[in-house]
Amino acid sequence: MEIRLEPKKLGDVDSDALVVVGFEGAAPEAAAADQTKELYDSGEFSGKALEIAILHRPAGLKAKRLVLAGGGKSEKFDAAELRKLTGAVVRALKSKGIHTITLALDEAQRSDDFVASAVEGAVLADVENDRYKTDPKKNEKRVDSFAVLGGSQSALDRGRILAEAQNFSRDLANEPANVLTPTLLAERASQMAKEFGLECEILDQDRMRQLGMGALLGVAQGSAEPPALIVIRYKPAKASLSKDHLGLVGKGVTFDTGGISIKPSEGMEKMRYDMAGGAAVLGAMRAIAQVKPSIPVTALVPTVENMPGSKAQRPGDIVTSLSGKTVEVLNTDAEGRLILIDALTYAQRLGCTHLVDAATLTGAIVVALGSVNVGAFTNNEAFLQKLLAAAKAEGEKTWQLPMDEEYKELLKSSFADLHNIGGRSGGSITAAWFIRDFVDETPWIHLDIAGTAWLDDAKPYMAKGATGVGLRTFVRLAESW
């Protein structure tokens, strides 16, 4: 899809569809034509969120169609709502075989955040997860170009960069596990890093064994596929006066059977997205390389398969982590936290002063927050407030959960320093506490994205499958440092 700014006046736009936003009880400024008023008066269009009405051959316009898109209540309309609305419009018009779309924004929506969000919505919506379908007609309905009337080129470019990076992440998480093994994920990451001028290092199984990453290797030992630790570095062109160094760590389990503590078969096919945290981190680095924040950023993605092979880790096994602490493994399906702790310890050894990890970690977070909010946990409130501000600016809903000391007591082991689960109660919190035990006093945030990383059904603005959640927050966090 071509993305561009449209410098023409409204009446001169020659497009298959000219889109304007209308609100509940208020017609759009840009389309105050009589036929627009008639749609409101007749009740055919009310301006409710994501509502769409199409006028063919509108009088006084060169565009073949005038599309009214509902923004809901004007006082609640923000850049995040525009992102969804633009996506819904693109998907609706694409299904009708419309190839060129121009969005006309009113003066109130021409800020950089609105323009960038409009572009993001369009680019994200254009993706169909049909790579493995053999239907020869699957590409016939496509959008060739999306233009924005009003706004800046820099905002348009930022929106395109973030959306393309998010689609890169979604594509990784959507790949079936027979196509994207840990080795091939590392190769894809290395190729991306080379393309965008980032440093990349891949630690193989032998190197991790030499370092003493017993927690990570314990998860991997049941699979014939070898594990890897992907390390990607962004260094700003000018050295910063600050000594801050942001570390982004993403869980990269390319398939999770649960290991010996095997999962139920129903829904297990979705466990290919158990590396969505790692995919979001890799996509964020792709975007960071282009927007060029002033802080150095290092991404680490520990990637494994969790399989119940003959050499698989058993419940009751005790492993020694890279930090030197020992863990009694009570449940092999609580594997994400085991690979994260070794990666977080290594990130600190690489000089990262602030850490954020993202993981599809617990079913408990889905019970607590559903598919609406990411669960956030921290040992540093000031750092978390930075991230929450970034998440709010990007429209990625995030909710802080408690980290009271009492929850840590549930992880005490009689045979090792701690065990890897804390029981049913407060499952997402005890999982976060387990990870926290390995970051010491380093400012740290854990994001549990298990409920938000995958869409079981298509939305009006996005196809079914991986969402790429977290990526935009990471980029905004680095940019606003």
Side-chain angles (χ1 to χ4, degrees), residues 257-385:
T257 66
I260 296 297
S261 307
I262 198 163
K263 294 177 180 290
S265 60
E266 184 178 356
M268 195 194 288
E269 75 282 353
K270 291 189 293 185
M271 285 300 97
R272 62 190 183 189
Y273 90 98
D274 210 21
M275 41 69 69
V281 164
L282 293 176
M285 294 304 289
R286 172 183 161 136
I288 284 168
Q290 297 173 81
V291 302
K292 302 184 186 306
S294 60
I295 184 176
V297 184
T298 297
L300 298 95
V301 178
T303 178
V304 301
E305 273 191 344
N306 187 23
M307 301 290 280
S310 62
K311 296 181 180 180
Q313 186 166 252
R314 296 149 293 241
D317 283 2
I318 294 176
V319 295
T320 302
S321 68
L322 178 60
S323 72
K325 293 181 181 179
T326 56
V327 179
E328 181 185 6
V329 180
L330 297 188
N331 189 322
T332 64
D333 194 24
E335 86 297 334
R337 64 201 72 180
L338 293 171
I339 68 173
L340 287 173
I341 60 174
D342 278 351
L344 286 162
T345 300
Y346 195 62
Q348 292 171 87
R349 293 188 181 182
L350 295 179
C352 294
T353 61
H354 294 73
L355 298 168
V356 183
D357 76 72
T360 47
L361 205 69
T362 67
I365 203 67
V366 185
V367 174
L369 300 177
S371 60
V372 178
N373 277 275
V374 171
F377 306 81
T378 191
N379 64 356
N380 187 293
E381 282 296 323
F383 184 31
L384 179 62
Q385 291 309 312

Side-chain angles (χ1 to χ4, degrees), residues 440-469:
D440 298 320
E441 298 304 315
T442 302
W444 157 85
I445 297 166
H446 162 60
L447 299 177
D448 195 334
I449 61 172
T452 53
W454 185 269
L455 292 177
D456 286 323
D457 299 295
K459 297 288 187 182
Y461 47 85
M462 186 177 284
K464 174 181 177 177
T467 64
V469 69

Side-chain angles (χ1 to χ4, degrees), residues 15 47 63-64 79 155 163 171-172 175 257 275 280 294 303 314-315 337 402-403 435 477:
S15 181
K64 295 182 178 68
D171 182 54
L172 288 176
E175 287 282 35
T257 66
M275 41 69 69
S294 60
T303 178
R314 296 149 293 241
R337 64 201 72 180
M403 291 284 286
I435 298 169
L477 177 65

Side-chain angles (χ1 to χ4, degrees), residues 411-427:
L411 295 169
K412 284 188 174 179
S413 168
S414 299
F415 304 101
D417 293 325
L418 66 169
H419 47 65
N420 72 327
I421 59 170
R424 287 181 61 85
S425 300

Side-chain angles (χ1 to χ4, degrees), residues 128-139 464:
E128 302 293 345
N129 298 320
D130 57 3
R131 172 179 296 176
Y132 298 103
K133 292 187 176 182
T134 57
D135 183 357
K137 296 181 180 181
K138 68 179 182 180
N139 293 320
K464 174 181 177 177

